[in-house]
Amino acid sequence: MIGTAAIESNSALFPAGSGGKAAFACQPGASRGRRWPEAPSALRTPFQRDRDRVIHSTAFRRLKHKTQVFVAPESDHYRTRLTHSLEVAQIARTLARALGLDEDLTECLALAHDLGHTPFGHAGEEALDLAMTGHGGFSHNAQTLRVLTKLERRHFGFDGLNLTFETLEGVVKHNGPVLAPFPAAIAEYASDHDLELHSYPSAEAQIAALADDIAYNAHDLDDGLRAGLFALEDLADIALAGPVLAAIEAQHPGIELGRKVGELVRRLVGTMVEDLLAQTSANIVAIRPGSVDAVRNLRRPLAAFSPAMVAQMASLKDFLFERMYRHPSVKIRTEHARRVVAELFACFHAEPQLLPEQWRSVAAGPDRLRAARAVADYIAGMTDNFALGEHRRLTGEA
């Protein structure tokens, strides 16, 4: 990972804004504020409060039992959405400090980025999107916004967590501008609160999104090796992983397997982090953005990997796609997961009286779109095991 000297020398490249941050960083004292005004905290910046509200949310706690790759895994050592989010947050915060960005906002966005995920990962999302055909579809990114602005109900006076503009913008646009036609949940919210969907987000949001790429590339590789879906020898010819593995074996011949895998994952994360920091630093020096709005108004992302690293990461993703995500043992479980989600939706949509009381009135109401969305909200909030249990209860299937 990035050492202290690298952070200090890198920070010196960028003109400082307030609070010792880079001029193009989001400044908590200059936040665009919350949709529902609140008195400021004497102890925490607005972005610290956002992060803390995410951590204390019900949706965040549920991530501990939501799939990253393996459906309802029996082992305690595979990643879940919660452990993945924590790993993303660690990487993102390291990068934010190196680049002079607001660390609290970056960490908040990393912790919040998967709150809208369904049970069973992308398999569950695809099944719910198909079930919502004709009702606005389903997107986990849009659902994250819905969780943060509507579904969390912990405060008097408003639904959601009432987070700052910068956090909501970063959640929605972390992969870049959102183009029409907008997902239904985003269109609904943006009609009352303009998140400037046409522009890029802050550098903090861009860094959080790329930290997600780093985390799942390295850590899915770790989980795939742990599950025995492929062996270390299979990585010899894979760009990025192969050369790192060869260097480890040359430097530490005869090292035990567990240590070798740990060293591989650690070096992979470090290699990707260093590349992202170097390329982004070069972009900053070339562009010299003087404010966060200058970052938003660029025609391309400020934060980026080098072209060579993009190609290497694509090769690693291709390997994981074929050898892990499409592995027969994984596919069997994901196909079952799709069926569970589809049948849960069909059952609750047809018979809303089967829903818990707080969901029943909307799902049984005359507005077809709102009714279907309520069912999708309920299912999306389920953990893997709860969804499997509800499916057994409703269908009698063992």
Side-chain angles (χ1 to χ4, degrees):
M1 298 296 285
I2 302 171
T4 303
I7 293 174
E8 290 175 351
S9 63
N10 200 62
S11 299
L13 290 172
F14 315 132
S18 63
K21 297 183 179 68
F24 54 85
C26 284
Q27 310 293 339
S31 169
R32 297 192 191 183
R34 307 177 188 278
R35 187 174 182 185
W36 311 107
E38 297 182 52
S41 169
L43 300 176
R44 295 173 295 163
T45 72
F47 302 147
Q48 285 178 283
R49 294 178 78 187
D50 283 3
R51 179 202 57 202
D52 297 347
R53 288 181 181 188
V54 167
I55 290 173
H56 286 277
S57 69
T58 304
F60 186 73
R61 290 195 297 277
R62 287 197 298 258
L63 294 180
K64 68 180 178 178
H65 292 305
K66 288 198 174 191
T67 288
Q68 179 64 16
V69 174
F70 299 103
V71 174
E74 296 177 0
S75 171
D76 291 333
H77 299 130
Y78 296 126
R79 267 88 181 171
T80 65
R81 288 284 167 195
L82 178 61
T83 57
H84 166 71
S85 296
L86 293 172
E87 289 167 340
V88 175
Q90 178 272 313
I91 295 168
R93 188 161 190 132
T94 297
L95 285 160
R97 181 172 299 182
L99 294 167
L101 303 176
D102 189 279
E103 296 176 40
D104 297 315
L105 175 59
T106 309
E107 183 181 26
C108 176
L109 292 168
L111 293 171
H113 82 281
D114 272 351
L115 291 180
H117 259 293
T118 64
F120 315 126
H122 290 291
E125 178 179 13
E126 291 162 5
L128 199 50
D129 185 38
L130 184 61
M132 286 289 288
T133 300
H135 305 295
F138 182 89
S139 156
H140 81 268
N141 190 44
Q143 190 70 11
T144 297
L145 178 67
R146 192 166 171 82
V147 167
L148 295 175
T149 60
K150 189 176 183 68
L151 299 180
E152 284 286 326
R153 296 187 173 106
R154 304 174 58 84
H155 300 269
F156 293 109
F158 54 81
D159 289 338
L161 301 180
N162 198 32
L163 305 181
T164 61
F165 171 92
E166 290 79 9
T167 295
L168 296 179
E169 170 205 38
V171 165
V172 171
K173 301 191 300 186
H174 62 273
N175 287 324
V178 182
L179 305 177
F182 307 126
I186 293 177
E188 178 186 357
Y189 184 80
S191 66
D192 293 326
H193 187 198
D194 184 10
L195 295 177
E196 300 179 2
L197 300 176
H198 62 281
S199 65
Y200 280 91
S202 65
E204 286 83 355
Q206 295 179 35
I207 285 296
L210 296 176
D212 184 29
D213 290 345
I214 292 171
Y216 74 67
N217 269 330
H219 298 143
D220 283 2
L221 189 71
D222 188 15
D223 281 353
L225 288 165
R226 185 182 298 276
L229 302 183
F230 47 84
L232 277 174
E233 294 75 21
D234 298 327
L235 301 174
D237 296 325
I238 305 302
L240 189 60
V244 172
L245 182 60
I248 293 170
E249 291 173 339
Q251 293 167 4
H252 305 284
I255 187 174
E256 63 187 87
L257 180 61
R259 293 182 191 274
K260 187 184 292 187
V261 172
E263 185 68 9
L264 172 64
V265 173
R266 186 185 73 82
R267 292 195 189 190
L268 284 175
V269 171
T271 299
M272 288 183 280
V273 164
E274 294 285 358
D275 181 90
L276 175 55
L277 178 58
Q279 183 63 54
T280 303
S281 299
N283 292 347
I284 293 166
V285 170
I287 297 169
R288 295 286 178 181
S291 68
V292 63
D293 282 337
V295 175
R296 291 186 176 111
N297 293 325
L298 291 173
R299 296 185 178 180
R300 61 183 176 89
L302 182 68
F305 295 105
S306 69
M309 180 57 68
V310 169
Q312 291 178 35
M313 290 173 70
S315 177
L316 180 56
K317 288 177 185 177
D318 288 344
F319 173 84
L320 290 171
F321 190 77
E322 285 298 324
R323 299 297 298 273
M324 186 172 185
Y325 313 137
R326 281 187 168 180
H327 191 279
S329 66
V330 174
K331 287 181 68 176
I332 288 171
R333 293 200 173 199
T334 55
E335 287 303 319
H336 177 64
R338 287 188 179 91
R339 182 167 63 84
V340 167
V341 169
E343 291 178 359
L344 283 174
F345 184 90
C347 188
F348 287 131
H349 196 218
E351 301 181 70
Q353 69 274 13
L354 296 172
L355 287 162
E357 184 177 354
Q358 66 267 34
W359 298 93
R360 202 176 299 154
S361 60
V362 176
D367 188 323
R368 291 178 62 253
L369 291 178
R370 289 190 67 210
R373 186 61 60 185
V375 174
D377 287 339
Y378 179 59
I379 294 172
M382 293 179 176
T383 62
D384 291 14
N385 285 325
F386 186 80
L388 292 170
E390 283 292 273
H391 186 258
R392 284 193 296 269
R393 179 179 71 86
L394 296 171
T395 65
E397 182 179 308

